[in-house]
Amino acid sequence: MKIDTKKIGTFLKSIDDAEYIYMQHCMEMRNGINNLIKRHNLSKQDVCERFKIKPAKYNDYVKGNYNYSVMDMACLNAAFMELEAEKLKDNVPVQVAGSNDR
């Protein structure tokens, strides 16, 4: 796949600081969502239910072509904390023996 750096450069030159910051937030959300999907093997249905999006919007949602809200950001943080806590329950990194186990 060839990357059209001139097209990207033209686009970046055409946006102002606020638009750049907005785009940066969209990409951070996109990366967070995709990391969550990969790390926890989430299906399309899981993502749609968790983030309350229609299946038709799934591709836009996971690719950053979406008008994310503060609620989407909160859902991402909550999903990450919930799924990480579940993962820790299943994979306890260190088991400390209690005083009665000596």
Side-chain angles (χ1 to χ4, degrees):
M1 176 179 174
K2 184 179 180 207
I3 297 174
D4 189 344
T5 57
K6 288 184 182 183
K7 186 170 146 183
I8 294 169
T10 300
F11 167 71
L12 290 173
K13 290 175 192 172
S14 74
I15 62 176
D16 63 24
D17 289 344
E19 291 167 328
Y20 180 83
I21 291 168
Y22 174 79
M23 183 183 69
Q24 192 174 25
H25 285 298
C26 288
M27 292 299 97
E28 288 171 3
M29 277 293 295
R30 174 200 183 275
N31 291 341
I33 292 164
N34 282 287
N35 288 339
L36 190 73
I37 290 169
K38 287 176 189 167
R39 183 164 170 81
H40 298 285
N41 299 315
L42 299 179
S43 69
K44 178 178 179 177
Q45 182 180 349
D46 291 335
V47 173
C48 291
E49 288 174 7
R50 189 170 290 278
F51 293 97
K52 297 174 181 48
I53 58 168
K54 295 181 180 172
K57 289 290 184 184
Y58 174 82
N59 284 335
D60 287 340
Y61 197 80
V62 300
K63 291 183 178 181
N65 184 26
Y66 193 85
N67 188 16
Y68 300 109
S69 68
V70 173
M71 183 59 78
D72 291 307
M73 293 175 200
C75 286
L76 177 59
N77 285 332
F80 181 78
M81 289 188 302
E82 176 188 331
L83 293 170
E84 286 299 307
E86 286 176 20
K87 195 171 204 164
L88 281 175
K89 286 179 192 174
D90 296 335
N91 303 312
V92 178
V94 176
Q95 189 87 19
V96 178
S99 60
N100 295 334
D101 295 337
R102 291 186 193 181

